[in-house]
Amino acid sequence: MSGAGMSIRIVGAILGTFALIALIYALLILAQLGKKLGAVTKMRSTYRGYYAAVALMGLSLVTRLLRASVFWADPGDLPAALNDPLLYFLLYHLPLAVGLTIGLAITWYYWNWLLKER
């Protein structure tokens, strides 16, 4: 790959990593808001599910950091596991999708009343 193409991949990897960190941070903020809202409205405490979502997204973040760290390496020197698409799917895409789905479901549970208010 050319030098310009490689630098674009590296910048994309860094920006994607910051996006995952921002999503994790947003889920932690929603967990605190959900905890307070649940205490005030006597709702069932489902805010703990946010922490499960954060853990899954953390696994995705670690996998992304591992994958991004090898962009500078020679493709022949990489361990085979880091180039395995199935492993990347199981450790990055699947936890990311499940974590975001959990976060979305809990957010919908806590905040759907806003859509009903007019």
Side-chain angles (χ1 to χ4, degrees):
M1 184 176 281
S2 69
M6 181 61 75
S7 59
I8 289 174
R9 285 184 62 192
I10 292 170
V11 169
I14 292 170
L15 291 177
T17 302
F18 284 131
L20 276 176
I21 292 169
L23 283 172
I24 290 171
Y25 189 66
L27 286 173
L28 289 171
I29 290 172
L30 285 170
Q32 294 301 315
L33 290 173
K35 181 179 180 181
K36 291 179 182 183
L37 180 66
V40 168
T41 60
K42 308 282 192 261
M43 295 173 80
R44 193 170 43 123
S45 4
T46 56
Y47 70 90
R48 291 182 187 101
Y50 281 121
Y51 297 120
V54 166
L56 288 168
M57 304 251 326
L59 175 63
S60 293
L61 177 64
V62 169
T63 304
R64 180 156 184 96
L65 288 173
L66 284 173
R67 182 83 179 232
S69 68
V70 298
F71 281 148
W72 288 280
D74 185 30
D77 295 339
L78 295 178
L82 289 177
N83 283 330
D84 186 15
L86 180 63
L87 183 70
Y88 195 61
F89 171 76
L90 292 174
L91 294 179
Y92 177 73
H93 293 290
L94 192 61
L96 179 65
V98 171
L100 285 175
T101 302
I102 290 170
L104 178 65
I106 295 170
T107 302
W108 183 262
Y109 173 74
Y110 275 122
W111 301 99
N112 69 350
W113 60 272
L114 285 173
L115 297 175
K116 295 175 186 172
E117 295 293 321
R118 292 191 188 243

